[in-house]
């Protein structure tokens, strides 16, 4: 059984052959043109529908996470503020990661945006964080996975690493060589690690 790609290629080849056939009448060409316009209109409608559903999903996820945050505040209202702040920061990062994933479903996400979103809940001063790298576009799944990993790195830096002390700093860089992305997260001046 031929693959879907092979079937599509055959269909395209057959259409090209019909379009290029010398015996095609003007009426045949106009009918084909009308069919193509109808298909394009249906495709535009489907894209608009997908965009609306995506925006609704994004809205519902944010609402759900806001409810979770309110429940956590009520449940842990007598807990220490540091734990509640940590939980809220993680929830905020989860929302940001979901936003990246949803955004990337309709387009790509820039790597620098994922880095900035991961650092945002930790209020890292700009003079303590250096970010350097070329423009890199990531697909949805890659952006989501990277956002979650960066959130863990940033959280650990804030709790135990360079951002846990006033003298610490983070250098984040990336490069692409021969199609391979190299990503470096380097912390300096933080607590001594055994």
């Amino acid at each position: 059984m031929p693959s879907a790609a092979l079937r599509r290629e055959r269909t395209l080849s057959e259409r090209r052959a019909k379009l290029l056939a010398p015996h095609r009448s003007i009426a045949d060409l106009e009918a084909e043109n009308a069919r193509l316009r109808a298909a394009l209109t249906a495709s535009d409608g489907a894209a608009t529908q997908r965009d609306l559903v995506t925006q609704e999903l994004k809205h519902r996820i944010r609402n759900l996470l806001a409810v979770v945050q309110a429940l956590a505040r009520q449940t842990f209202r007598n807990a220490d503020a540091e734990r509640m702040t940590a939980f809220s920061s993680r929830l905020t990062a989860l929302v940001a990661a979901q936003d990246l994933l949803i955004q990337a479903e309709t387009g790509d996400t820039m790597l620098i945006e994922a880095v900035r979103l991961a650092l945002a809940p930790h209020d890292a001063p700009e003079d303590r964080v250096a970010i350097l790298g070329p423009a890199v576009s990531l697909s949805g799944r890659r952006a989501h996975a990277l956002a979650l990993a960066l959130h863990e790195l940033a959280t650990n830096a804030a709790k135990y690493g360079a951002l846990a002390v006033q003298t610490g700093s983070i250098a984040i860089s990336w490069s692409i060589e021969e199609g391979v992305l190299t990503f470096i997260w380097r912390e300096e001046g933080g607590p001594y690690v055994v």
Side-chain angles (χ1 to χ4, degrees):
M1 175 180 259
S3 71
L6 185 59
R7 285 192 303 270
R8 277 192 299 270
E9 183 59 37
R10 261 195 233 150
T11 303
L12 288 173
S13 295
E14 290 168 2
R15 285 184 182 168
R16 282 188 205 113
K18 285 180 183 177
L19 285 173
L20 298 176
H23 62 279
R24 302 253 332 204
S25 70
I26 297 291
D28 288 340
L29 291 174
E30 288 175 349
E32 181 69 18
N33 204 7
R35 282 192 296 275
L36 290 173
R37 272 196 305 270
L40 184 59
T41 300
S43 174
D44 286 345
T48 300
Q49 181 68 22
R50 184 194 70 228
D51 290 346
L52 289 172
V53 169
T54 299
Q55 291 304 316
E56 179 64 22
L57 177 61
K58 191 175 182 177
H59 176 73
R60 287 183 184 197
I61 288 172
R62 283 178 172 271
N63 284 346
L64 178 62
L65 292 173
V67 169
V68 169
Q69 193 162 30
L71 287 171
R73 274 195 214 111
Q74 289 175 354
T75 304
F76 302 113
R77 70 177 147 246
N78 296 329
D80 66 17
E82 185 179 329
R83 287 186 182 198
M84 191 60 216
T85 300
F87 177 79
S88 291
S89 292
R90 287 188 172 150
L91 197 57
T92 300
L94 180 61
V95 169
Q98 288 301 315
D99 282 351
L100 270 178
L101 179 62
I102 290 169
Q103 174 186 333
E105 289 300 321
T106 58
D108 291 344
T109 299
M110 299 308 291
L111 190 146
I112 193 163
E113 186 179 346
V115 170
R116 287 185 178 141
L117 283 172
L119 291 169
H122 304 288
D123 296 322
E126 287 185 26
D127 63 332
R128 294 179 57 199
V129 178
I131 302 172
L132 180 66
V136 174
S137 183
L138 301 170
S139 67
R141 293 188 193 280
R142 288 183 176 144
H144 188 245
L146 180 64
L148 292 175
L150 288 171
H151 171 68
E152 284 304 311
L153 287 167
T155 299
N156 288 339
K159 290 169 75 175
Y160 316 110
L163 297 179
V165 296
Q166 294 298 320
T167 58
S169 64
I170 301 175
I172 303 166
S173 63
W174 59 89
S175 62
I176 297 181
E177 292 181 29
E178 297 180 19
V180 175
L181 174 67
T182 302
F183 186 91
I184 299 170
W185 176 288
R186 181 172 290 132
E187 297 184 38
E188 294 180 4
Y192 181 72
V193 178
V194 182

